[in-house]
Amino acid sequence: MKFFKRHAEASGSDWSPGKIVFAVVALVGTFFAFQLLVALSHLWLMMFAAVVFAVVIRAVADPLIRITRLPEVPVVVASVLLIIGPIALGLTLFGSEIASQGAGVIARIPMGWDRIQQVVADQPYAGEIQAATGQLGAYAGRAIGWAQTFAMGTAVALTGLLLVIVAGIYLALSPARARDGLVALVPLGRRDRVRYILDTIGRALKGWLKGQIIAMIAVGLASGIGLSIIGVPSPVALGVLTGLLNFVPIVGPILATVPAVLMAATVGWEQAALTLLLYFVVQQVESILLVPLVQKNVASLPVIVTIFSVVAFGSLLGPLGVILSGPLALTIFVLVIMVYRQDVLGDRTMQAPGETR
């Protein structure tokens, strides 16, 4: 302590031994807090998923509240039924057909892969091509292994999903209370600004989710109908898979294309080429026309941010991080603009997604 005291006096600073101890404790506490955040990352992701589901509920409930002038609680309950009801009805009517076609997809995909390898073997430079396709096959095998592991943890996944739904409904019933609870943790002079930032994030997420859900439905229907016309087996299951994977930006549509092309390859190369063309056209129509029309720049993200967010959150947080990469990237993007660029740098020229002026 005498050394620190002499050093402080020599340098003209006011670092007393008490302040040094406080700094060390703060540094150690920050380190362990970071470790706790990493260790509980799955819990934070589930909490964020609950927030996303609450935003979906409020996206349905808020217009109904404005139109009907009814209290929030019955309208929110009705909104939950409007969201879950069609899904339950669709599973009741088409669940067995989707499951049957899904089993057919799993059974026939290896046939399509074998056929591709046979054709590649007859081509010039077959050795180099086979090495590349063999590496792709190894990646596919890892993906299948991950899918099997995920399927074995279905009970855990369903439990987590139930918790997310319940927490999301609770948040949707009283979003202002949850927001004000966070606002109460910051100094009084910054509470209005933090409240505005949180409201902006909510508007941005609402616009993004609205665009994604409409795009998922449209892409799933277009893909399923197109595959049926082309003559690809199991078009319903592939259409549902395409729609669901479309929730993950950039990577999801690419992943959805692979099983569809492999299934088409079991029928013929013309069908495989038409399937690849179908998915390309559908994704171009979605990205150029549908999403901008629905979102109207309320929740637009730079493409490079979207791509790296999928990679980063997938590497750090696993499959759940990939699924939530879009909302997470949008939230962080809004925070960077409003907290760092606007508040720290004082640059108010750039408007954040969801911000109203």
Side-chain angles (χ1 to χ4, degrees):
M1 288 298 177
K2 292 182 179 179
F3 169 78
F4 289 114
K5 187 175 182 179
R6 287 198 303 269
H7 180 73
E9 291 175 351
S11 60
S13 66
D14 57 349
W15 277 92
S16 64
K19 289 185 177 181
I20 294 173
V21 172
F22 177 78
V24 172
V25 171
L27 183 62
V28 173
T30 302
F31 172 77
F32 282 108
F34 177 77
Q35 294 297 320
L36 182 63
L37 287 174
V38 173
L40 298 179
S41 59
H42 187 73
L43 175 62
W44 310 132
L45 282 178
M46 290 183 62
M47 293 172 62
F48 185 76
V51 171
V52 171
F53 184 58
V55 171
V56 173
I57 297 174
R58 295 301 303 198
V60 177
D62 288 342
L64 295 178
I65 292 173
R66 288 195 298 267
I67 294 172
T68 62
R69 306 289 183 179
L70 293 173
E72 287 193 2
V73 174
V75 176
V76 168
V77 173
S79 301
V80 173
L81 295 177
L82 286 174
I83 294 170
I84 298 179
I87 298 175
L89 180 62
L91 291 176
T92 302
L93 296 177
F94 307 106
S96 59
E97 179 66 19
I98 293 173
S100 175
Q101 291 194 15
V105 170
I106 295 174
R108 295 187 62 141
I109 280 180
M111 297 170 54
W113 180 251
D114 291 340
R115 186 164 184 175
I116 290 176
Q117 288 185 313
Q118 290 175 2
V119 172
V120 167
D122 298 332
Q123 304 302 316
Y125 307 104
E128 292 81 355
I129 299 175
Q130 282 183 327
T133 56
Q135 195 171 25
L136 290 175
Y139 290 143
R142 293 178 189 174
I144 294 172
W146 174 82
Q148 291 172 343
T149 303
F150 181 80
M152 289 188 292
T154 301
V156 178
L158 290 177
T159 303
L161 179 62
L162 180 61
L163 291 175
V164 167
I165 292 174
V166 172
I169 294 173
Y170 175 78
L171 290 174
L173 288 171
S174 55
R177 182 183 301 176
R179 179 202 61 195
D180 292 340
L182 289 176
V183 171
L185 299 176
V186 301
L188 288 173
R190 300 294 298 172
R191 289 186 180 180
D192 289 339
R193 176 61 175 172
V194 172
R195 185 179 293 108
Y196 177 68
I197 291 174
L198 292 177
D199 289 341
T200 301
I201 292 174
R203 286 189 294 269
L205 286 175
K206 187 182 296 184
W208 187 87
L209 289 167
K210 179 181 177 182
Q212 286 299 110
I213 291 173
I214 293 177
M216 288 167 63
I217 296 173
V219 168
L221 286 174
S223 301
I225 294 172
L227 292 172
S228 179
I229 295 174
I230 294 173
V232 178
S234 306
V236 176
L238 290 172
V240 171
L241 179 64
T242 301
L244 292 176
L245 288 177
N246 204 69
F247 183 79
V248 181
I250 308 298
V251 176
I254 297 174
L255 294 177
T257 304
V258 175
V261 172
L262 289 177
M263 285 291 291
T266 63
V267 179
W269 288 112
E270 295 83 0
Q271 284 76 10
L274 289 174
T275 298
L276 190 60
L277 178 63
L278 168 69
Y279 273 69
F280 175 78
V281 172
V282 168
Q283 292 304 322
Q284 292 304 307
V285 171
E286 179 215 356
S287 60
I288 296 175
L289 297 177
L290 183 59
V291 172
L293 180 64
V294 174
Q295 292 182 349
K296 297 178 180 177
N297 295 323
V298 173
S300 58
L301 270 177
V303 176
I304 191 66
V305 173
T306 304
I307 294 174
F308 280 106
S309 69
V310 175
V311 177
F313 291 124
S315 301
L316 294 173
L317 304 173
L320 190 56
V322 173
I323 295 173
L324 295 175
S325 60
L328 283 169
L330 181 60
T331 301
I332 295 175
F333 188 65
V334 173
L335 288 173
V336 168
I337 292 176
M338 301 191 72
V339 176
Y340 179 69
R341 183 162 181 174
Q342 295 181 358
D343 293 349
V344 176
L345 300 182
D347 182 6
R348 303 273 176 169
T349 58
M350 184 173 184
Q351 187 171 350
E355 188 176 4
T356 57
R357 291 183 178 178

mmCIF file of all heavy atoms in Angstrom, residues 196-232:
data_model
loop_
_atom_site.group_PDB
_atom_site.id
_atom_site.type_symbol
_atom_site.label_atom_id
_atom_site.label_comp_id
_atom_site.label_asym_id
_atom_site.label_seq_id
_atom_site.Cartn_x
_atom_site.Cartn_y
_atom_site.Cartn_z
ATOM 1 N N TYR A 196 -37.354 5.479 -23.889
ATOM 2 C CA TYR A 196 -37.520 5.707 -25.325
ATOM 3 C C TYR A 196 -36.744 4.681 -26.144
ATOM 4 O O TYR A 196 -37.228 4.184 -27.170
ATOM 5 C CB TYR A 196 -37.069 7.125 -25.664
ATOM 6 C CG TYR A 196 -37.136 7.455 -27.134
ATOM 7 C CD1 TYR A 196 -38.355 7.568 -27.794
ATOM 8 C CD2 TYR A 196 -35.965 7.643 -27.873
ATOM 9 C CE1 TYR A 196 -38.412 7.866 -29.143
ATOM 10 C CE2 TYR A 196 -36.010 7.948 -29.221
ATOM 11 C CZ TYR A 196 -37.240 8.060 -29.848
ATOM 12 O OH TYR A 196 -37.296 8.346 -31.190
ATOM 13 N N ILE A 197 -35.538 4.344 -25.695
ATOM 14 C CA ILE A 197 -34.733 3.341 -26.409
ATOM 15 C C ILE A 197 -35.423 1.978 -26.373
ATOM 16 O O ILE A 197 -35.491 1.275 -27.390
ATOM 17 C CB ILE A 197 -33.321 3.258 -25.796
ATOM 18 C CG1 ILE A 197 -32.541 4.542 -26.090
ATOM 19 C CG2 ILE A 197 -32.563 2.057 -26.343
ATOM 20 C CD1 ILE A 197 -31.192 4.621 -25.406
ATOM 21 N N LEU A 198 -35.942 1.588 -25.212
ATOM 22 C CA LEU A 198 -36.632 0.305 -25.105
ATOM 23 C C LEU A 198 -37.888 0.277 -25.977
ATOM 24 O O LEU A 198 -38.191 -0.738 -26.621
ATOM 25 C CB LEU A 198 -36.999 0.027 -23.646
ATOM 26 C CG LEU A 198 -35.818 -0.234 -22.691
ATOM 27 C CD1 LEU A 198 -36.319 -0.412 -21.272
ATOM 28 C CD2 LEU A 198 -35.031 -1.464 -23.142
ATOM 29 N N ASP A 199 -38.623 1.378 -26.017
ATOM 30 C CA ASP A 199 -39.801 1.449 -26.892
ATOM 31 C C ASP A 199 -39.392 1.343 -28.361
ATOM 32 O O ASP A 199 -40.089 0.704 -29.173
ATOM 33 C CB ASP A 199 -40.565 2.751 -26.654
ATOM 34 C CG ASP A 199 -41.281 2.772 -25.309
ATOM 35 O OD1 ASP A 199 -41.496 1.675 -24.740
ATOM 36 O OD2 ASP A 199 -41.616 3.873 -24.827
ATOM 37 N N THR A 200 -38.270 1.965 -28.703
ATOM 38 C CA THR A 200 -37.777 1.887 -30.082
ATOM 39 C C THR A 200 -37.398 0.457 -30.450
ATOM 40 O O THR A 200 -37.706 -0.021 -31.555
ATOM 41 C CB THR A 200 -36.556 2.810 -30.261
ATOM 42 O OG1 THR A 200 -36.936 4.154 -29.957
ATOM 43 C CG2 THR A 200 -36.044 2.747 -31.694
ATOM 44 N N ILE A 201 -36.733 -0.249 -29.535
ATOM 45 C CA ILE A 201 -36.392 -1.655 -29.782
ATOM 46 C C ILE A 201 -37.665 -2.469 -29.978
ATOM 47 O O ILE A 201 -37.736 -3.333 -30.870
ATOM 48 C CB ILE A 201 -35.566 -2.216 -28.610
ATOM 49 C CG1 ILE A 201 -34.183 -1.561 -28.578
ATOM 50 C CG2 ILE A 201 -35.415 -3.728 -28.729
ATOM 51 C CD1 ILE A 201 -33.354 -1.934 -27.371
ATOM 52 N N GLY A 202 -38.691 -2.207 -29.174
ATOM 53 C CA GLY A 202 -39.955 -2.925 -29.326
ATOM 54 C C GLY A 202 -40.582 -2.683 -30.682
ATOM 55 O O GLY A 202 -41.072 -3.620 -31.326
ATOM 56 N N ARG A 203 -40.589 -1.424 -31.149
ATOM 57 C CA ARG A 203 -41.146 -1.130 -32.469
ATOM 58 C C ARG A 203 -40.334 -1.791 -33.583
ATOM 59 O O ARG A 203 -40.902 -2.306 -34.559
ATOM 60 C CB ARG A 203 -41.210 0.379 -32.688
ATOM 61 C CG ARG A 203 -42.307 1.086 -31.913
ATOM 62 C CD ARG A 203 -42.442 2.531 -32.369
ATOM 63 N NE ARG A 203 -41.252 3.303 -32.030
ATOM 64 C CZ ARG A 203 -41.099 3.973 -30.909
ATOM 65 N NH1 ARG A 203 -42.058 3.958 -29.991
ATOM 66 N NH2 ARG A 203 -39.994 4.680 -30.684
ATOM 67 N N ALA A 204 -39.016 -1.776 -33.442
ATOM 68 C CA ALA A 204 -38.166 -2.405 -34.459
ATOM 69 C C ALA A 204 -38.407 -3.905 -34.516
ATOM 70 O O ALA A 204 -38.534 -4.487 -35.606
ATOM 71 C CB ALA A 204 -36.695 -2.113 -34.163
ATOM 72 N N LEU A 205 -38.459 -4.552 -33.354
ATOM 73 C CA LEU A 205 -38.727 -5.995 -33.322
ATOM 74 C C LEU A 205 -40.109 -6.312 -33.895
ATOM 75 O O LEU A 205 -40.281 -7.304 -34.613
ATOM 76 C CB LEU A 205 -38.625 -6.513 -31.891
ATOM 77 C CG LEU A 205 -37.214 -6.631 -31.305
ATOM 78 C CD1 LEU A 205 -37.286 -7.041 -29.835
ATOM 79 C CD2 LEU A 205 -36.389 -7.648 -32.081
ATOM 80 N N LYS A 206 -41.080 -5.479 -33.588
ATOM 81 C CA LYS A 206 -42.435 -5.720 -34.106
ATOM 82 C C LYS A 206 -42.454 -5.644 -35.632
ATOM 83 O O LYS A 206 -43.046 -6.498 -36.307
ATOM 84 C CB LYS A 206 -43.402 -4.699 -33.502
ATOM 85 C CG LYS A 206 -44.862 -4.951 -33.842
ATOM 86 C CD LYS A 206 -45.761 -3.874 -33.243
ATOM 87 C CE LYS A 206 -45.727 -3.902 -31.741
ATOM 88 N NZ LYS A 206 -46.686 -2.919 -31.154
ATOM 89 N N GLY A 207 -41.779 -4.635 -36.186
ATOM 90 C CA GLY A 207 -41.731 -4.525 -37.642
ATOM 91 C C GLY A 207 -40.973 -5.667 -38.282
ATOM 92 O O GLY A 207 -41.397 -6.211 -39.313
ATOM 93 N N TRP A 208 -39.849 -6.063 -37.672
ATOM 94 C CA TRP A 208 -39.051 -7.168 -38.225
ATOM 95 C C TRP A 208 -39.823 -8.474 -38.165
ATOM 96 O O TRP A 208 -39.854 -9.238 -39.149
ATOM 97 C CB TRP A 208 -37.745 -7.289 -37.450
ATOM 98 C CG TRP A 208 -36.788 -8.284 -38.034
ATOM 99 C CD1 TRP A 208 -35.868 -8.058 -39.011
ATOM 100 C CD2 TRP A 208 -36.667 -9.671 -37.689
ATOM 101 N NE1 TRP A 208 -35.174 -9.210 -39.296
ATOM 102 C CE2 TRP A 208 -35.641 -10.219 -38.502
ATOM 103 C CE3 TRP A 208 -37.313 -10.500 -36.780
ATOM 104 C CZ2 TRP A 208 -35.261 -11.557 -38.425
ATOM 105 C CZ3 TRP A 208 -36.940 -11.838 -36.699
ATOM 106 C CH2 TRP A 208 -35.926 -12.350 -37.509
ATOM 107 N N LEU A 209 -40.443 -8.760 -37.029
ATOM 108 C CA LEU A 209 -41.184 -10.015 -36.885
ATOM 109 C C LEU A 209 -42.400 -10.055 -37.807
ATOM 110 O O LEU A 209 -42.729 -11.113 -38.350
ATOM 111 C CB LEU A 209 -41.630 -10.185 -35.427
ATOM 112 C CG LEU A 209 -40.494 -10.499 -34.446
ATOM 113 C CD1 LEU A 209 -40.976 -10.341 -33.009
ATOM 114 C CD2 LEU A 209 -39.978 -11.917 -34.666
ATOM 115 N N LYS A 210 -43.048 -8.923 -37.974
ATOM 116 C CA LYS A 210 -44.179 -8.872 -38.904
ATOM 117 C C LYS A 210 -43.737 -9.253 -40.310
ATOM 118 O O LYS A 210 -44.370 -10.082 -40.984
ATOM 119 C CB LYS A 210 -44.786 -7.463 -38.897
ATOM 120 C CG LYS A 210 -45.957 -7.291 -39.847
ATOM 121 C CD LYS A 210 -46.466 -5.856 -39.796
ATOM 122 C CE LYS A 210 -47.598 -5.638 -40.794
ATOM 123 N NZ LYS A 210 -48.075 -4.219 -40.784
ATOM 124 N N GLY A 211 -42.621 -8.674 -40.745
ATOM 125 C CA GLY A 211 -42.111 -9.007 -42.068
ATOM 126 C C GLY A 211 -41.678 -10.455 -42.178
ATOM 127 O O GLY A 211 -41.951 -11.119 -43.183
ATOM 128 N N GLN A 212 -41.013 -10.979 -41.138
ATOM 129 C CA GLN A 212 -40.537 -12.353 -41.186
ATOM 130 C C GLN A 212 -41.685 -13.354 -41.198
ATOM 131 O O GLN A 212 -41.648 -14.345 -41.941
ATOM 132 C CB GLN A 212 -39.631 -12.636 -39.987
ATOM 133 C CG GLN A 212 -38.251 -12.000 -40.093
ATOM 134 C CD GLN A 212 -37.477 -12.491 -41.296
ATOM 135 O OE1 GLN A 212 -37.265 -11.737 -42.256
ATOM 136 N NE2 GLN A 212 -37.063 -13.731 -41.284
ATOM 137 N N ILE A 213 -42.698 -13.141 -40.395
ATOM 138 C CA ILE A 213 -43.810 -14.089 -40.333
ATOM 139 C C ILE A 213 -44.566 -14.123 -41.652
ATOM 140 O O ILE A 213 -44.905 -15.199 -42.174
ATOM 141 C CB ILE A 213 -44.748 -13.730 -39.164
ATOM 142 C CG1 ILE A 213 -44.042 -13.998 -37.829
ATOM 143 C CG2 ILE A 213 -46.048 -14.536 -39.242
ATOM 144 C CD1 ILE A 213 -44.808 -13.515 -36.619
ATOM 145 N N ILE A 214 -44.841 -12.946 -42.216
ATOM 146 C CA ILE A 214 -45.523 -12.913 -43.517
ATOM 147 C C ILE A 214 -44.652 -13.568 -44.589
ATOM 148 O O ILE A 214 -45.143 -14.333 -45.431
ATOM 149 C CB ILE A 214 -45.860 -11.461 -43.898
ATOM 150 C CG1 ILE A 214 -46.910 -10.897 -42.927
ATOM 151 C CG2 ILE A 214 -46.367 -11.380 -45.338
ATOM 152 C CD1 ILE A 214 -47.252 -9.448 -43.168
ATOM 153 N N ALA A 215 -43.347 -13.300 -44.532
ATOM 154 C CA ALA A 215 -42.438 -13.911 -45.507
ATOM 155 C C ALA A 215 -42.370 -15.418 -45.332
ATOM 156 O O ALA A 215 -42.328 -16.167 -46.322
ATOM 157 C CB ALA A 215 -41.048 -13.298 -45.365
ATOM 158 N N MET A 216 -42.353 -15.894 -44.095
ATOM 159 C CA MET A 216 -42.328 -17.343 -43.845
ATOM 160 C C MET A 216 -43.548 -18.029 -44.447
ATOM 161 O O MET A 216 -43.430 -19.073 -45.109
ATOM 162 C CB MET A 216 -42.263 -17.606 -42.340
ATOM 163 C CG MET A 216 -40.921 -17.284 -41.706
ATOM 164 S SD MET A 216 -41.002 -17.259 -39.906
ATOM 165 C CE MET A 216 -41.448 -18.986 -39.574
ATOM 166 N N ILE A 217 -44.719 -17.434 -44.229
ATOM 167 C CA ILE A 217 -45.949 -18.034 -44.762
ATOM 168 C C ILE A 217 -45.933 -18.012 -46.288
ATOM 169 O O ILE A 217 -46.231 -19.019 -46.948
ATOM 170 C CB ILE A 217 -47.176 -17.288 -44.219
ATOM 171 C CG1 ILE A 217 -47.267 -17.464 -42.699
ATOM 172 C CG2 ILE A 217 -48.450 -17.785 -44.891
ATOM 173 C CD1 ILE A 217 -48.340 -16.627 -42.044
ATOM 174 N N ALA A 218 -45.563 -16.857 -46.853
ATOM 175 C CA ALA A 218 -45.568 -16.732 -48.314
ATOM 176 C C ALA A 218 -44.537 -17.653 -48.958
ATOM 177 O O ALA A 218 -44.831 -18.346 -49.954
ATOM 178 C CB ALA A 218 -45.303 -15.282 -48.709
ATOM 179 N N VAL A 219 -43.333 -17.694 -48.405
ATOM 180 C CA VAL A 219 -42.273 -18.534 -48.972
ATOM 181 C C VAL A 219 -42.620 -20.012 -48.820
ATOM 182 O O VAL A 219 -42.409 -20.808 -49.748
ATOM 183 C CB VAL A 219 -40.928 -18.217 -48.294
ATOM 184 C CG1 VAL A 219 -39.876 -19.261 -48.648
ATOM 185 C CG2 VAL A 219 -40.449 -16.834 -48.702
ATOM 186 N N GLY A 220 -43.151 -20.396 -47.668
ATOM 187 C CA GLY A 220 -43.537 -21.795 -47.477
ATOM 188 C C GLY A 220 -44.611 -22.232 -48.453
ATOM 189 O O GLY A 220 -44.518 -23.317 -49.054
ATOM 190 N N LEU A 221 -45.634 -21.392 -48.632
ATOM 191 C CA LEU A 221 -46.710 -21.735 -49.576
ATOM 192 C C LEU A 221 -46.194 -21.788 -51.012
ATOM 193 O O LEU A 221 -46.493 -22.727 -51.757
ATOM 194 C CB LEU A 221 -47.840 -20.706 -49.466
ATOM 195 C CG LEU A 221 -48.722 -20.796 -48.220
ATOM 196 C CD1 LEU A 221 -49.700 -19.629 -48.174
ATOM 197 C CD2 LEU A 221 -49.487 -22.116 -48.207
ATOM 198 N N ALA A 222 -45.428 -20.768 -51.406
ATOM 199 C CA ALA A 222 -44.911 -20.731 -52.782
ATOM 200 C C ALA A 222 -43.994 -21.920 -53.056
ATOM 201 O O ALA A 222 -44.066 -22.539 -54.131
ATOM 202 C CB ALA A 222 -44.166 -19.419 -53.025
ATOM 203 N N SER A 223 -43.149 -22.255 -52.093
ATOM 204 C CA SER A 223 -42.227 -23.381 -52.287
ATOM 205 C C SER A 223 -42.986 -24.697 -52.362
ATOM 206 O O SER A 223 -42.710 -25.535 -53.235
ATOM 207 C CB SER A 223 -41.205 -23.416 -51.148
ATOM 208 O OG SER A 223 -40.470 -22.214 -51.082
ATOM 209 N N GLY A 224 -43.938 -24.893 -51.458
ATOM 210 C CA GLY A 224 -44.703 -26.140 -51.466
ATOM 211 C C GLY A 224 -45.494 -26.323 -52.749
ATOM 212 O O GLY A 224 -45.505 -27.417 -53.339
ATOM 213 N N ILE A 225 -46.159 -25.248 -53.200
ATOM 214 C CA ILE A 225 -46.940 -25.334 -54.442
ATOM 215 C C ILE A 225 -46.021 -25.568 -55.637
ATOM 216 O O ILE A 225 -46.302 -26.394 -56.518
ATOM 217 C CB ILE A 225 -47.778 -24.052 -54.623
ATOM 218 C CG1 ILE A 225 -48.844 -23.946 -53.530
ATOM 219 C CG2 ILE A 225 -48.436 -24.032 -56.010
ATOM 220 C CD1 ILE A 225 -49.586 -22.637 -53.521
ATOM 221 N N GLY A 226 -44.903 -24.830 -55.663
ATOM 222 C CA GLY A 226 -43.961 -25.001 -56.772
ATOM 223 C C GLY A 226 -43.365 -26.396 -56.817
ATOM 224 O O GLY A 226 -43.252 -26.995 -57.900
ATOM 225 N N LEU A 227 -42.999 -26.954 -55.673
ATOM 226 C CA LEU A 227 -42.455 -28.317 -55.636
ATOM 227 C C LEU A 227 -43.494 -29.335 -56.081
ATOM 228 O O LEU A 227 -43.160 -30.331 -56.750
ATOM 229 C CB LEU A 227 -41.972 -28.640 -54.219
ATOM 230 C CG LEU A 227 -40.738 -27.858 -53.737
ATOM 231 C CD1 LEU A 227 -40.484 -28.124 -52.256
ATOM 232 C CD2 LEU A 227 -39.509 -28.218 -54.552
ATOM 233 N N SER A 228 -44.743 -29.103 -55.706
ATOM 234 C CA SER A 228 -45.806 -30.025 -56.141
ATOM 235 C C SER A 228 -45.970 -29.999 -57.655
ATOM 236 O O SER A 228 -46.155 -31.044 -58.299
ATOM 237 C CB SER A 228 -47.118 -29.643 -55.451
ATOM 238 O OG SER A 228 -48.167 -30.481 -55.866
ATOM 239 N N ILE A 229 -45.897 -28.792 -58.256
ATOM 240 C CA ILE A 229 -46.020 -28.673 -59.708
ATOM 241 C C ILE A 229 -44.837 -29.332 -60.415
ATOM 242 O O ILE A 229 -44.993 -30.011 -61.439
ATOM 243 C CB ILE A 229 -46.138 -27.188 -60.099
ATOM 244 C CG1 ILE A 229 -47.436 -26.595 -59.547
ATOM 245 C CG2 ILE A 229 -46.063 -27.018 -61.620
ATOM 246 C CD1 ILE A 229 -47.564 -25.098 -59.763
ATOM 247 N N ILE A 230 -43.639 -29.154 -59.876
ATOM 248 C CA ILE A 230 -42.446 -29.757 -60.471
ATOM 249 C C ILE A 230 -42.468 -31.267 -60.377
ATOM 250 O O ILE A 230 -41.934 -31.971 -61.244
ATOM 251 C CB ILE A 230 -41.175 -29.188 -59.782
ATOM 252 C CG1 ILE A 230 -41.037 -27.700 -60.098
ATOM 253 C CG2 ILE A 230 -39.920 -29.936 -60.234
ATOM 254 C CD1 ILE A 230 -39.933 -27.007 -59.333
ATOM 255 N N GLY A 231 -43.122 -31.782 -59.342
ATOM 256 C CA GLY A 231 -43.195 -33.233 -59.165
ATOM 257 C C GLY A 231 -42.218 -33.769 -58.143
ATOM 258 O O GLY A 231 -41.868 -34.953 -58.180
ATOM 259 N N VAL A 232 -41.773 -32.916 -57.218
ATOM 260 C CA VAL A 232 -40.849 -33.348 -56.171
ATOM 261 C C VAL A 232 -41.628 -34.073 -55.076
ATOM 262 O O VAL A 232 -42.698 -33.606 -54.669
ATOM 263 C CB VAL A 232 -40.096 -32.136 -55.578
ATOM 264 C CG1 VAL A 232 -39.167 -32.569 -54.457
ATOM 265 C CG2 VAL A 232 -39.321 -31.425 -56.672
#
